[in-house]
Amino acid sequence: MNEILKLLEKDSRLTAPQIAAMLGMDAAAVAAAIAKAEADGVILRYTALVDWDKAAEEAVTALIEVKIAPQRGEGFDRIAERIYQYEEVDSLYLMSGAFDLAVYITAKSMKDVAQFVFARLAPIEGVTATATHFILKKYKEKGCVFTVAPEQEERMLFI
Amino acid sequence: MMEYKNLLSDNVKGLKPSGIRKFFDILEEMDDAISLGIGEPDFVTPWHIRDAGIYSLEKGFTKYTGNAGLSRLRKEISAYLKRRFNLEYNFKDQIIVTVGGSEAIDLTVRALVNPCDEVIIPVPSFVCYGPITELACGKAVYVETKVENEFRLTAEELRAAITPKTKLLVLPYPNNPTGGILEKPDLEALAEVLRGTDIMVLSDEIYAELTYGQRHVSMANIPDMYERTVVVNGFSKSHAMTGWRMGYVCGPSQVIVQMLKIHQYAIMSAPTTSQYAAIEAISEGDNDVETMRRDYDYRRRFLLDRFRSLELSCFEPKGAFYMFPCIRNTGLTSEEFCERFLLEEKVAVIPGSAFGASGEGFVRMCYASSIGNISEALDRLGRFLKKI
């Protein structure tokens, strides 16, 4: 099962018959396993990894470190929930170390990011501090390098 | 005017150049061609290995090494062969680090073959054994292995090829271009023929890490065969390091010590940067090998499945990264098939005949290429097969 998931995580366009061929499995069994993973919420979504810089879309991405005071009986979850409900939040992780939550957000401009922090994030009860870091360049995401590696010249053609 | 043809070595003039250049001239002109032609990993050398090479340069390790190679590397090779294949070679006098597996093959043949000695070479196989034998003034005796035996050399075929002049048997398994392997019972049957003779074995195990479904067994593992076997291996295929030119050869010290003399005079020592990278590869690279092997296996099964749906006959290759489907029922020769496939569908594959006469009727497809590429190549193959 996990082998199927790993293949799909790398290339979600692989079809069940293709995966079945690659793993030496029965196509119907692979299709059933994928359907079950979808139903169980193991597979959440099929997406494309886009280099928005190349697509000439103006957008800024920021990592916001957030310190919070955990609440009795709720821990971090309640505050995390109040943060991740915002549409502009791409990812949210609970961290060990110097801060508690790592919030990744994408917005149209730096001003919009600032607006989000001032107007939405900082006022949340329990949020005690934030630090915003703008992402200047994406080199690699989800195991995928964003710059195309150069091809070696003059390779041997036959061996 | 110099009359070069009168000056050049007859031996060299007699060598045939590799005969499929013309495809590659065509291929080079095409932008959107897919090549399943080149037999090398599509992976770039893992970063930690490249980094070790770079680091050695930063530290200024740019001098020759000892002739046989860095002792640390030879110790690691010795440990690796024990760990992966249960082979025991003393790093002191049984291992030479060479410039790729190719040099290791050349050393072995040159150290063993006297003029007119016969070298038995199963074909289809990699193209270098015959010419290297001829350069050593030996005689290449080609044995045509059969698709019905999954291109294994059989004991009967071996027995029939042996003469009083036979010096050396080349065992090129896992095999390029067929993907065939020899399993323990096959090796034992061959060993039975060799026992009591003076025939040595050159076991070219460059694809030893790339077997699917079972671990590679070396001829040197078979009882009585250790003392008559020279094992050739290297980093090119297992660690995606073709351009580093890192190979090695192991065998009885009496043979290795003679080979070292040739290496010493012809090569001096293998490239130092590559040797440092190789130490990292062999000591910390087992996971890389396994990851790449698994990826090749996905592609192998994928290709085999598509062949079946195209009704293209192909035995299941269990080693290396090649498929060797039979194209006889197209009515085309291997060369015609490859030329038309390239011109009409822009996919490069290699005629089986390039690897020996018994490769006629087959083509070699290398699956060291992305699933996307392979899938597109197979779509085009389907179209091509319908058309012809």
Side-chain angles (χ1 to χ4, degrees), chain A residues 8-14 43-52 55 90 138 141-144 146:
Chain A
L8 278 175
E9 193 179 30
K10 240 183 183 171
D11 180 2
S12 65
R13 295 217 294 181
L14 286 174
I43 294 175
L44 298 166
R45 202 199 313 190
Y46 299 95
T47 65
L49 186 59
V50 178
D51 184 347
W52 285 110
D90 284 331
K138 279 187 191 175
E141 199 171 293
K142 291 253 163 209
C144 181
F146 276 49

Side-chain angles (χ1 to χ4, degrees), chain B residues 4-278:
Chain B
Y4 290 110
K5 70 175 192 297
N6 299 332
L7 299 172
L8 287 161
S9 146
D10 295 333
N11 239 344
V12 175
K13 280 191 292 182
L15 291 183
K16 278 197 288 286
S18 160
I20 51 172
R21 272 268 88 90
K22 63 176 176 182
F23 292 127
F24 294 109
D25 295 339
I26 302 169
L27 181 61
E28 283 208 307
E29 300 299 309
M30 285 182 182
D31 309 330
D32 49 351
I34 297 175
S35 177
L36 302 183
I38 178 77
E40 71 177 328
D42 58 324
F43 300 106
V44 176
T45 309
W47 171 248
H48 68 104
I49 299 171
R50 284 185 276 156
D51 191 43
I54 294 166
Y55 191 52
S56 78
L57 289 173
E58 284 180 358
K59 284 184 288 187
F61 297 161
T62 58
K63 305 228 161 42
Y64 297 123
T65 69
N67 290 123
L70 292 166
S71 56
R72 231 179 93 209
L73 175 54
R74 282 179 287 130
K75 277 180 200 166
E76 288 292 352
I77 290 169
S78 173
Y80 163 89
L81 290 173
K82 176 72 189 155
R83 173 172 87 239
R84 305 288 282 190
F85 305 110
N86 198 28
L87 288 171
E88 294 200 30
Y89 290 103
N90 190 325
F91 82 97
K92 285 192 183 123
D93 57 0
Q94 290 195 282
I95 299 174
I96 304 173
V97 179
T98 59
V99 180
S102 303
E103 193 218 343
I105 295 165
D106 187 39
L107 291 181
T108 311
V109 171
R110 284 208 269 171
L112 289 166
V113 171
N114 282 315
C116 304
D117 279 354
E118 293 180 358
V119 177
I120 297 176
I121 302 167
V123 284
S125 61
F126 182 49
V127 293
C128 78
Y129 311 110
I132 285 175
T133 300
E134 286 161 29
L135 283 173
C137 300
K139 186 181 165 212
V141 176
Y142 296 105
V143 176
E144 301 194 353
T145 59
K146 310 269 180 324
V147 66
E148 54 268 32
N149 299 324
E150 301 190 340
F151 296 102
R152 295 159 201 264
L153 175 69
T154 66
E156 298 71 51
E157 288 162 347
L158 173 61
R159 200 174 286 117
I162 290 174
T163 74
K165 287 184 178 163
T166 304
K167 168 61 67 68
L168 183 64
L169 164 66
V170 177
L171 278 187
Y173 295 93
N175 182 267
N176 169 12
T178 65
I181 61 168
L182 291 183
E183 288 168 277
K184 206 168 169 207
D186 306 313
L187 293 166
E188 276 165 349
L190 296 176
E192 196 45 45
V193 179
L194 295 171
R195 276 189 198 101
T197 71
D198 287 328
I199 299 169
M200 292 287 294
V201 176
L202 188 180
S203 188
D204 184 352
E205 304 182 12
I206 194 78
Y207 293 98
E209 286 286 6
L210 301 180
T211 58
Y212 312 100
Q214 64 275 294
R215 292 288 298 159
H216 170 75
V217 181
S218 173
M219 185 54 134
N221 288 128
I222 306 298
D224 308 323
M225 291 298 116
Y226 182 83
E227 58 263 39
R228 67 172 72 235
T229 301
V230 174
V231 173
V232 168
N233 206 330
F235 296 81
S236 293
K237 319 292 179 179
S238 55
H239 294 78
M241 292 180 70
T242 49
W244 299 82
R245 311 308 304 121
M246 267 288 100
Y248 50 91
V249 58
C250 317
S253 59
Q254 297 90 332
V255 181
I256 294 293
V257 79
Q258 299 298 324
M259 288 168 59
L260 188 58
K261 289 193 288 188
I262 310 173
H263 176 77
Q264 183 178 354
Y265 293 124
I267 301 289
M268 312 264 291
S269 62
T272 302
T273 313
S274 299
Q275 290 193 52
Y276 279 103

Side-chain angles (χ1 to χ4, degrees), chain A residues 3 21-23 155-156 159, chain B residues 24 38 40 298 301 364:
Chain A
E3 230 177 344
M22 290 163 77
L23 300 180
R155 289 177 51 196
M156 189 180 284
I159 188 160
Chain B
F24 294 109
I38 178 77
E40 71 177 328
Y298 291 153
R301 293 201 194 111
R364 186 190 78 173

